Every structure is written in C-alpha cells, then in structure tokens.
Amino acid sequence: MSHPSPPATSPDPFSQCPSGCVCGVRELVARAADTGWREAEEIDATEMRAMLSAVRSGFETICRDGRIPARRHAASDAYARADRQLNRLGLMLATGHMGDTAARLARAQNAADATPRRARWLRRVRWPVVIGIGMFDVWYFNQVFRYLTSQTGDADQGGAGGILHMWELLAAIVPGVALAVIIAATGEMMLRPLGAWRAAAFRRPPVRQGRAGAYLGAAGRWALRLAWWSLPICFLLMLLVVIGTWAGLRARYPTPPSGGYPMMSVILLIVMLSLGAMAVKVAASDKEAEDLAVARRRLWWTKTAYSFQSRQADRLIGAYDSRWSDLRTLRDELIGLLRLKMISAWEGFILRVRSLHRQTGNVAVAEARSGPGPSLTGPEFQGIAQPQMEAGPLLEVCRLVEDRHPDRLRERKRLLDETYGRQVTGRDGAPPAIGHRALPPAS
C-alpha cells in the first residue's frame, strides 16, 4: 500500500526515505548533530574513509587498464629507434668525412680553374670509343682463337659439340677481352711518359748556366718539342694511309675477294684501331677534371647518404611524436579519472551528508593548478586535507611524458643539421665535436 508523501515544508530531512532504509545516512546525521559544530576544514573518520576508498578504487582501475603497458612500450620503442638514428647521424658527422670530402672538392675546383680544360665531348666519348674497339677486338679475335683452340680440326663446322664446344667458345672469348683491357691499360700507362716528355720539352731553362749549356739545353728542348709536335702529324698520316688503303680496296673489289683482303691492309686496320683507342684515351686525359669529377661524385654520394639518414631520422621522430602524443593523452585521461574518483566521494557522500546535518561550514573550490603538466593529486577544496591518490604504473607514464619530449629529439636533429651545413660549406676548420643535450637512456 502506498503512503502519501509529506508536505514539502516538513522539517524532517529524511521524510522522503522509505521505511526500512539501511543506507546509514540517518545515523551519520544524528551523530554529527550530537557532536556539534565543526569547521569545514575538519574531516571526520567517515569522510576520510570515503576518500581512502576513492584512492583504492582509482588505484585498482589504473592497474587493470591494459592500455598503459601497450602505449608505454610503443613509445619507448619509437624513442629508442629515433635515438639510434640520431646517434648514427652524429657518428657520420663526428668522423669529419663530410668536411674532408667538401674540402677535397674545393681543392680540386681550384686546381681545375687554374689550368685549361680538355674539350668536354672528348672526355665523354673516350670510354665509348675504348669499349667499342674492345668489343670489336673481342669479336674479331674470338674467330681467330676459336680456330686456334679447336682440337677436333672441325673449325669450319663450328667446332666440337657439347661441353668441349662450350669450353672452346669460352677460351676464345677470354683473350679478346684481355686484349681490350690491355689496350685501355696501355693508354693509361702512356700518360706518364708522355707527360714527362711534354714537361721536359716545355720546361723553362735554369737561370744560371753557361753559354754552351744554354745552347745545348735550347737545342735539346727544341728537339723534344719537334718530336712532340710530330706525334699527331705522324698519327694523322698513318690514319690517312689506312683510310686511303681501304678506300682503294673498296673501289677495287666491289665484293669481298675470294682470296681475302691483303694481309698488310688488315694488319694496318687492326693496329690503327688499337692505336686510335689509345690515342683517344690519351688525348682525353685531364687529371684536374677527373679529380674534380671524382670529388663531386664523392661529395654527392656522401650528401645523399646523409640526406637519406636525415629523412629517416625525421620519419622516426614523427613516429615517436605520435606515440608520445598517445601516451600523453592516456596520462591526461587517467589523471582525470583519479580526480573524478575523489570528486565522486565528495559529491556522492561527504557533501551530501554535510548538507543534511549542517554542522560544518561551507567549502570553496580550490584554485586551478598551474605548471608544465597536470598534477596527480591535490585538494579539490581550499584548506581541506586530502589523501594522495595512488598512481601506480601511471607514475612511469608521467616520467616518460615529461622527460622524453619530442622537441628534445628535434633539437638534437637541428644541431646535427647545422653541423652538416658547416661541414659541407667548409665553415668548420676541423671536424666538430657533435654535442647534444643529455637525454634519459632508452628503456
């Protein structure tokens, strides 16, 4: 059977409670009335028990949250990868290899600017010419050596079959390749004696020497110069002879002769091709330009390697920034959860009982906290002692968030990039010491 509700003006605060209520609030209100008035800052045992219960509930909730270890490990791994990448960049710069390469390029550029350069087209075609003549030699002498290495006497039928045929083919190709390499190497070796010859021919005479020595020296130098300038003339004459010979053969024999071309004409052609390859190699030789090209390639490769590692470092720092942001978001969420646990104890029990017995003063909300990060604990009301919330594994999360800010990694990266720029531009006289701010070790 339902009972009518009492009027709203009833002085009994528990008139709305149904009969048989066992919440205990009536007894607490009665005990507070017996105790008498107390200040709002005074906390009795029942209120302290409610706050301690909130502390325990918050601790258990945090310990059961599986996101804490997952995000902590993800952030620590991302930090470790970014830290190793920055250390790798630091080692690249600490060796001074970047600065040495840039200085070598500057010296090569100065040396190249001080002397005239060979024609660029000549330097570009030298290796295609050498390789082309080498391929012709491989093909031509392959025919010769296949005949020489045929043990079955059936060179006209293409040699033996099976494994022996493959072996004969390989043995015939190797000498042709070797001849092509020998021609290129000979052209390289001729650079030194020709350079010495030219230096002796155009060397300035000593300042102090007798008249007879001066005449003999001048005569020797002019002889050397005459021989030096006669080299291209002799080569040109030989080239014209070979071209004229084969032009005459082509006019004389519209079709290949049955007995083959004259032996001397073939010899002159093969010799001319080999000498021509060596002549192009020697004529295109430019030590200063080659040194400059090598220095440029080395610096390009070095800068490319650093740029690749730098982009990798930026990517890893960005990945860590994302993991760190997730960890910080989780920290803020759990700190808010701890505060709500304590606020719920006040809102759902302490303030409710106080509003009923009215034996304490009014409470005022505490001022907003200020600082670099949110505080784990703190009184919710001014002047009221509050037990410290137990954070448990959340403390390690807070330490990681505060000590391993991504901006510190970015600062290290900025210092490394500045050092890289100084080494490349040559503003560092010596390999710099790569310094960076101390960071906590990766866990």
Side-chain angles (χ1 to χ4, degrees):
M1 185 176 64
S2 61
H3 300 278
S5 300
T9 57
S10 174
D12 185 4
F14 301 102
S15 60
Q16 300 293 334
C17 292
S19 60
C21 178
V22 293
C23 65
V25 176
R26 190 186 301 272
E27 290 77 5
L28 294 176
V29 172
R31 187 181 306 116
D34 295 338
T35 304
W37 177 266
R38 57 188 171 95
E39 297 296 332
E41 292 79 8
E42 297 182 25
I43 303 296
D44 62 11
T46 305
E47 295 172 341
M48 181 58 69
R49 179 178 179 274
M51 289 189 288
L52 292 177
S53 178
V55 172
R56 177 176 56 81
S57 177
F59 174 76
E60 293 175 351
T61 302
I62 290 178
C63 290
R64 289 193 302 266
D65 197 325
R67 297 174 299 171
I68 293 180
R71 295 193 184 182
R72 188 182 69 244
H73 292 319
S76 296
D77 292 342
Y79 174 84
R81 287 192 294 269
D83 182 70
R84 287 194 300 268
Q85 186 65 23
L86 290 178
N87 290 336
R88 191 176 293 112
L89 285 178
L91 289 176
M92 290 179 62
L93 297 176
T95 58
H97 179 67
M98 188 79 64
D100 294 341
T101 305
R104 189 181 296 112
L105 175 60
R107 292 193 297 268
Q109 185 67 56
N110 293 334
D113 294 339
T115 55
R117 302 273 64 76
R118 300 284 188 183
R120 182 174 298 178
W121 69 266
L122 188 60
R123 297 201 307 269
R124 289 181 176 178
V125 303
R126 56 177 173 173
W127 284 114
V129 169
V130 172
I131 293 174
I133 298 300
M135 294 177 64
F136 172 79
D137 290 342
V138 170
W139 171 82
Y140 183 81
F141 288 103
N142 175 49
Q143 311 298 321
V144 176
F145 285 105
R146 284 185 64 185
Y147 179 81
L148 293 177
T149 57
S150 177
Q151 297 180 354
T152 59
D154 55 355
D156 295 337
Q157 288 76 24
I163 299 177
L164 183 58
H165 173 72
M166 296 298 297
W167 172 252
E168 290 177 358
L169 182 62
L170 180 62
I173 292 177
V174 170
V177 176
L179 284 174
V181 175
I182 289 171
I183 291 174
T186 303
E188 189 72 23
M189 290 187 297
M190 288 297 295
L191 294 176
R192 291 186 179 180
L194 290 176
W197 187 351
R198 184 177 184 279
F202 296 94
R203 183 186 300 117
R204 292 183 178 181
V207 178
R208 294 181 181 180
Q209 61 178 358
R211 180 175 297 179
Y215 288 149
L216 291 176
R221 287 190 300 275
W222 278 108
L224 289 175
R225 293 175 184 176
L226 181 62
W228 173 263
W229 291 118
S230 65
L231 286 178
I233 298 175
C234 294
F235 183 79
L236 176 61
L237 293 176
M238 182 179 176
L239 177 62
L240 293 177
V241 168
V242 172
I243 293 176
T245 301
W246 279 92
L249 291 175
R250 182 67 180 85
R252 183 177 180 181
Y253 302 103
T255 59
S258 59
Y261 290 106
M263 180 179 61
M264 186 56 64
S265 300
V266 177
I267 292 175
L268 287 176
L269 178 61
I270 300 300
V271 171
M272 187 65 213
L273 290 175
S274 301
L275 287 177
M278 288 187 287
V280 171
K281 181 70 172 62
V282 172
S285 176
D286 192 339
K287 184 178 182 304
E288 289 77 12
E290 292 175 359
D291 292 343
L292 179 60
V294 170
R296 284 175 176 172
R297 286 195 298 271
R298 288 180 178 176
L299 183 60
W300 184 85
W301 280 111
T302 305
K303 293 170 65 176
T304 301
Y306 182 86
S307 298
F308 175 78
Q309 298 293 343
S310 178
R311 289 192 297 269
Q312 183 74 0
D314 290 334
R315 187 183 67 82
L316 293 176
I317 292 175
Y320 170 68
D321 193 357
S322 178
R323 301 293 187 275
W324 180 84
S325 179
D326 293 341
L327 193 64
R328 184 180 60 177
T329 302
L330 179 62
R331 179 203 66 178
D332 297 342
E333 177 184 342
L334 294 180
I335 289 177
L337 175 65
L338 292 179
R339 290 194 60 215
L340 287 178
K341 290 288 184 179
M342 183 61 65
I343 291 175
S344 297
W346 276 89
E347 183 269 336
F349 179 77
I350 300 176
L351 293 181
R352 178 188 175 195
V353 174
R354 287 190 176 190
S355 65
L356 292 175
H357 62 65
R358 299 177 182 177
Q359 297 298 313
T360 60
N362 295 324
V363 295
V365 178
E367 296 181 358
R369 303 175 182 86
S370 60
S375 175
L376 283 176
T377 60
E380 303 300 331
F381 303 101
Q382 293 182 2
I384 297 179
Q386 175 181 312
Q388 184 176 4
M389 300 298 293
E390 181 56 48
L394 187 58
L395 291 176
E396 177 65 12
V397 173
C398 295
R399 187 188 71 84
L400 294 179
V401 169
E402 296 299 328
D403 294 344
R404 294 184 177 179
H405 198 285
D407 288 344
R408 298 190 178 185
L409 295 177
R410 293 191 180 93
E411 178 65 14
R412 283 179 57 185
K413 177 64 167 49
R414 186 187 65 81
L415 295 176
L416 291 172
D417 289 340
E418 289 181 355
T419 303
Y420 164 76
R422 289 195 300 269
Q423 290 191 6
V424 169
T425 56
R427 287 180 293 175
D428 278 352
I434 306 302
H436 56 267
R437 297 181 182 178
L439 293 179
S443 57

